[in-house]
């Protein structure tokens, strides 16, 4: 009796010891070497010293970052997109799938229980029972009512590694959902500012058509009085028709942009109309010394880091395949050849151990399948490490692009404003001189075209500044004025 107890105790101790022998590699986030500060001068030397190596912090709050533009219509559009965009719903569904897979993996940590009831018709061979060939060995019906239990002891951490990988996958899906959400917010803002820029161009062409119409009246009057030739009249009509044609082109472009915005809002083009409103000059002040935590909030960085963690855990799963697996099974219930006495105490039966196979199984030869699985898992981890580092580098590049674009666009806008003023002055002078007969109408047309060209360039810069501001917000993970955003959300 004591010998059996010692044997059982030894077996239990050995199982507990093996259960702690996880073979998976411990996860450590690889370094992602980055520069200590941005190249752009928006960061002061004091702020530059606050930068550190990127550590994903995707859970930090972002808030309603678009309120920095002070556009109530944009605020309403963003809310509509968050509630109705279909791509965002797709990402949310994928997140739920990943979380369900994590729960599925966690279920392997617990035993499975099942119960059954029913008859079985069977006949054992005469030889198996040691009976002669002519023995009365007829088939019989056997009724069973039993409960079963099965549990795989996680000897070498296979299940734990699988759970770790599924958890990292779920966290990656959560980060990807936030990435889709941030991208949608930025796309809505950029589509909105594009439409507003086109509204401003439509207003410009409306004024241009009116001005050229009045000019045509003047030219027509001079032609009727015989002061000029028909050539000037034809040129004036051509300039008016050209402006009208370009105005229609802007109208077509605006319609397409409005349809695209409707799709982002989860609506058909027929269900959405945005009233025209010319774009004003967007002025976004970038604080000197953006904290590194802003860049760390980027969901794509968090997703790439979680992909590394999942790949690392799957290396552990692949390693565990080289070691034995221990599965404990058992069944207890009743069986009888008659249904009436099935639940009697004398009909009880039990089984410890699998019906087919062995409790402890050790793989010996599989043609190199496990080695290939381990090599694949390690290569996938190396791939995800490289992808993570590239994501961090891309993040810094995009922020640099946004900062430099806003800085240069600000200076470029000031220069372009001067060009518009000078072109407008030249047009005024050419028209006065034309009335006095000192210049030809060709000079007037050329000056008028220059005004239109410079004004369109100025509007294009206004649109680019708005687009660049949105791109910068997206690049740093969604806004930089956390206090203001939190106040706006209250």
């Amino acid at each position: 009796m004591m010998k059996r107890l010692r044997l059982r105790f030894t077996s239990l101790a050995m199982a507990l010891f093996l259960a702690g022998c996880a073979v998976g590699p411990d996860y450590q986030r690889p370094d992602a070497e980055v520069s200590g500060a941005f190249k752009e001068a928006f960061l002061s030397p004091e702020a530059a010293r606050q930068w550190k190596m990127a550590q994903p912090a995707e859970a930090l709050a972002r808030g309603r970052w678009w309120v920095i533009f002070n556009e109530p219509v944009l605020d309403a559009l963003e809310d509509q997109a968050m509630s109705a965009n279909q791509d965002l719903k797709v990402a949310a569904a994928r997140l739920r799938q990943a979380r369900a897979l994590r729960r599925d993996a966690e279920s392997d940590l617990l035993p499975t229980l099942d119960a059954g009831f029913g008859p079985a018709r069977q006949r054992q061979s005469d030889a198996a029972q040691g009976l002669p060939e002519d023995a009365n060995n007829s088939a019989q019906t056997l009724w069973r009512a039993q409960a079963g239990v099965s549990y795989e002891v996680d000897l070498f951490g296979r299940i734990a590694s699988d759970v770790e990988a599924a958890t990292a996958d779920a966290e990656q899906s959560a980060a990807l959902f936030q990435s889709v959400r941030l991208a949608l917010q930025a796309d809505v803002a950029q589509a909105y500012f594009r439409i507003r820029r086109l509204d401003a161009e439509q207003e410009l062409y409306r004024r241009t058509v009116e001005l050229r119409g009045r000019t045509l009246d003047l030219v027509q009057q001079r032609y009727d009085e015989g002061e000029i030739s028909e050539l000037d009249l034809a040129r004036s009509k051509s300039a008016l028709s050209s402006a009208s044609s370009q105005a229609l082109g802007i109208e077509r472009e605006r319609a397409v942009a409005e349809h695209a915005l409707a799709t982002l809002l989860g609506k058909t083009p027929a269900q959405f109309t945005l009233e025209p409103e010319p774009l004003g000059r967007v002025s976004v002040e970038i604080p000197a010394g953006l904290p590194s935590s802003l860049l760390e909030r980027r969901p794509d960085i968090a997703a790439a880091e979680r992909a590394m963690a999942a790949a690392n855990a799957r290396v552990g799963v692949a390693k565990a395949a080289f070691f034995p697996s221990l599965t404990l099974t058992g069944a207890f219930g009743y069986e009888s050849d008659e249904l009436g006495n099935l639940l009697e105490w004398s009909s009880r039966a039990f089984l410890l151990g699998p019906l087919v196979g062995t409790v402890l199984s050790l793989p010996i030869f599989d043609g190199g399948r496990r080695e290939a699985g381990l090599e694949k898992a390690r290569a996938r981890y190396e791939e995800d490490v490289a992808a993570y580092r590239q994501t961090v580098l891309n993040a810094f590049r995009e922020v640099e692009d946004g900062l430099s674009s806003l800085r240069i666009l600000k200076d470029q806008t000031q220069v372009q404003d001067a060009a518009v003023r000078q072109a407008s002055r030249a047009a005024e002078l050419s028209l006065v001189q034309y009335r006095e007969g000192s210049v030809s109408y060709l000079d007037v047309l050329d000056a008028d075209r220059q005004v239109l060209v410079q004004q369109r360039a100025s509007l294009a810069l206004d649109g680019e500044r708005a687009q660049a501001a949105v791109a910068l917000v997206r690049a740093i993970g969604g806004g930089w004025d956390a206090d203001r955003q939190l106040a706006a959300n209250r």
Side-chain angles (χ1 to χ4, degrees), residues 389-425:
R389 288 171 173 164
Q390 187 62 41
T391 301
V392 174
L393 290 175
N394 287 338
F396 273 83
R397 176 187 59 80
E398 290 172 2
V399 174
E400 292 280 10
D401 289 347
L403 292 173
S404 61
S405 294
L406 286 179
R407 174 179 61 81
I408 297 172
L409 282 170
K410 182 178 180 180
D411 297 337
Q412 188 177 1
T413 300
Q414 295 175 352
V415 176
Q416 185 60 39
D417 288 344
V420 171
R421 290 192 299 269
Q422 296 301 323
S424 299
R425 179 57 179 166

Side-chain angles (χ1 to χ4, degrees), residues 195-213:
I195 293 175
R196 292 309 186 209
R197 191 256 304 168
L198 292 171
D199 288 340
E201 290 196 32
Q202 281 188 313
E203 176 64 19
L204 171 61
Y205 274 99
R206 185 191 63 80
R207 295 195 307 266
T208 300
V209 169
E210 290 180 356
L211 177 61
R212 291 185 179 181

